[in-house]
Amino acid sequence: VIINVGGIKYKVPWTTLENCPLTRLGKLKSCNNYDEIMDICDDYDVSCNEFFFDRNPSAFRTIMTFLTAGKLRLLREMCALSFQEELVYWGIEEDHLEWCCKKRLRQKEEEAAEARLFEREMVFNEATQCAFQDNSRLSLCMRKLRDMVENPHSGIPGKIFACISVSFVAITAVSLCISTMPDVREEEDRGECSQKCYDIFVLETVCVAWFSFEFLLRSIQAENKCAFLKTPLNIIDILAILPFYVSLIVDVVSTKNSSKPGGGAGNKYLERVGLVLRFLRALRILYVMRLARHSLGLQTLGLTVRRCTREFGLLLLFLCVAMALFSPLVYLAESELGAKQEFTSVPSSYWWAVISMTTVGYGDMVPRSIPGQVVALSSILSGILLMAFPVTSIFHTFSRSYSELKEQQQRIASRQVRQRQEN
């Protein structure tokens, strides 16, 4: 039988096609008339017994290699998803792919799924923008508000809004650092409030007021309120804003309770309230995560963490296995031959194993004997190797994620330019 795919002819014996009866080529022999043949191929020459297929000849060459030699591999010069479509057309299952090629295909499928999800989100955003397509003043204001708070590249108002938001995040981070200075902490513990403490409180109040105003604007322009509240960045905004208001309420309640006469129970209550206040104020560091709205690098970091969960799991597994191995060894070496008893138990040696394998080396626990130092050297070298194994894959994922997000932003920018030109 003569198979013509994309102008390239292949002379194949019928016995080769009989080995794969469920494929498209295997079904040719069971055809009894011209109509059945035309259902399988694109054209047929009766005189030459030649079947024509308008498909990719490079992919079919690989498929012919699989039919004759039993090896099915992806082509490096061909898109993996396009080759998957060729496999579906010819009726060949993906399980016949070699494991390395199958891994590459799965990776491309995950990237394509994420790209489709991103496109659906963009279409949904465009659909919500089209909800106010009439020429009323309200719809015009909503469109301008949406462009200003959601798209910094939409124009000068969006850029100014993004710069103000980033500036307030930086101010909040600086004020958090200043509030942890020893003199401020001493005044807070004594219940006093100097001018510096008052200025920090005013500055924090102004920043939280801006963040609350920004969150209110985002919620107003959102068409679907439930979907808006489920967005990860909006959840971070809520977790960063709420502690300030909760701490104010707790502070007011504690002040009222402290004014009432009481004994030791009141003091314990005040200590608990102070602990809650310190914890809530520490949550202000979540404001830094809001930079992900305007930073391509932070978005890439989040996407890399989401894609590399297996690699991070492997890294943790390697660390735990090596820690369980070297901790008993260094304990035995030091307890039997050590000049100083720093390793009192195996659980206390876990901390030493972690800081040694990660090459941090605080020096709080140091092996003194020669066997203990040999174990320490082995743990350090093993830690370097074990940490390096998954890092290469994580780096490539980070680079690929950065390129994808950058291309998506460029597509969005070009689409917005076309929409402005059409309008």
Side-chain angles (χ1 to χ4, degrees), residues 301-363:
L301 179 61
L303 183 59
T304 304
V305 172
R306 188 174 64 183
R307 287 180 172 179
C308 295
T309 53
R310 294 182 179 178
E311 285 77 4
F312 285 117
L314 285 176
L315 186 62
L316 183 61
L317 177 63
F318 294 161
L319 186 63
C320 291
V321 171
M323 181 178 65
L325 175 64
F326 289 110
S327 297
L329 290 178
V330 73
Y331 170 74
L332 293 175
E334 288 298 303
S335 62
E336 297 295 335
L337 303 174
K340 188 176 181 181
Q341 295 292 334
E342 294 181 353
F343 299 85
T344 57
S345 63
V346 173
S348 65
S349 303
Y350 285 162
W351 170 249
W352 171 86
V354 171
I355 62 176
S356 297
M357 293 185 62
T358 54
T359 65
V360 177
Y362 290 120

Side-chain angles (χ1 to χ4, degrees), residues 148-149 151-152 155-173 203 206-215 217-218 287 290-291 293-294:
M148 183 182 68
V149 301
N151 186 12
I156 296 179
K159 293 180 181 179
I160 294 176
F161 188 85
C163 291
I164 294 175
S165 180
V166 172
S167 300
F168 274 105
V169 171
I171 292 172
T172 303
L203 187 61
V206 172
C207 293
V208 174
W210 166 259
F211 294 141
S212 304
F213 175 70
E214 181 181 353
F215 183 81
L217 291 180
R218 294 183 187 277
Y287 286 122
R290 303 181 78 256
L291 294 176
R293 293 184 180 274
H294 315 289

Side-chain angles (χ1 to χ4, degrees), residues 27 37-38 62-63 100-101 114 126 134 141 148 152 161 165 169 211 225 235 246 330 348-349 359 361 363 388 397 420:
K27 296 177 182 179
I37 293 176
M38 293 304 297
T62 304
I63 293 173
C100 54
C101 299
E114 292 177 355
E126 292 177 358
D134 53 349
C141 293
M148 183 182 68
F161 188 85
S165 180
V169 171
F211 294 141
K225 306 301 181 184
I235 294 175
V246 175
V330 73
S348 65
S349 303
T359 65
T397 305
R420 293 195 193 100

